[in-house]
Amino acid sequence: ISVGTVYTDLGATVTDNVDNNLGFTVALDGGATTTLDQLSLDTSTSTTHTIVFSATDQAGNTGTATRTVIVE
């Protein structure tokens, strides 16, 4: 995205063969986990951000996905 642009994340879809309606958390650049609506990305300078999405089912299985956001 361009420097100074407001970043709005598209989110993620979580599926599981047993559990329904799994939610997920996100972590920005290795920081603490939070919800997607609390995610705030600094786009004031050129940089690369990494967002890690995590979901855990009732059996304790965890899946992750990573999104890289390049601000330039």
Side-chain angles (χ1 to χ4, degrees):
I1 64 173
S2 298
V3 171
T5 302
V6 174
Y7 178 76
T8 303
D9 195 89
L10 300 175
T13 302
V14 180
T15 58
D16 186 80
N17 64 342
V18 176
D19 297 321
N20 295 317
N21 302 319
L22 291 176
F24 61 87
T25 58
V26 295
L28 177 63
D29 298 329
T33 59
T34 189
T35 57
L36 188 59
D37 62 331
Q38 296 296 312
L39 180 68
S40 178
L41 211 114
D42 180 8
T43 62
S44 63
T45 60
S46 296
T47 192
T48 299
H49 293 286
T50 303
I51 303 169
V52 177
F53 296 80
S54 299
T56 303
D57 67 11
Q58 291 179 6
N61 302 306
T62 300
T64 61
T66 302
R67 174 171 292 137
T68 301
V69 180
I70 300 169
V71 181
E72 57 183 9

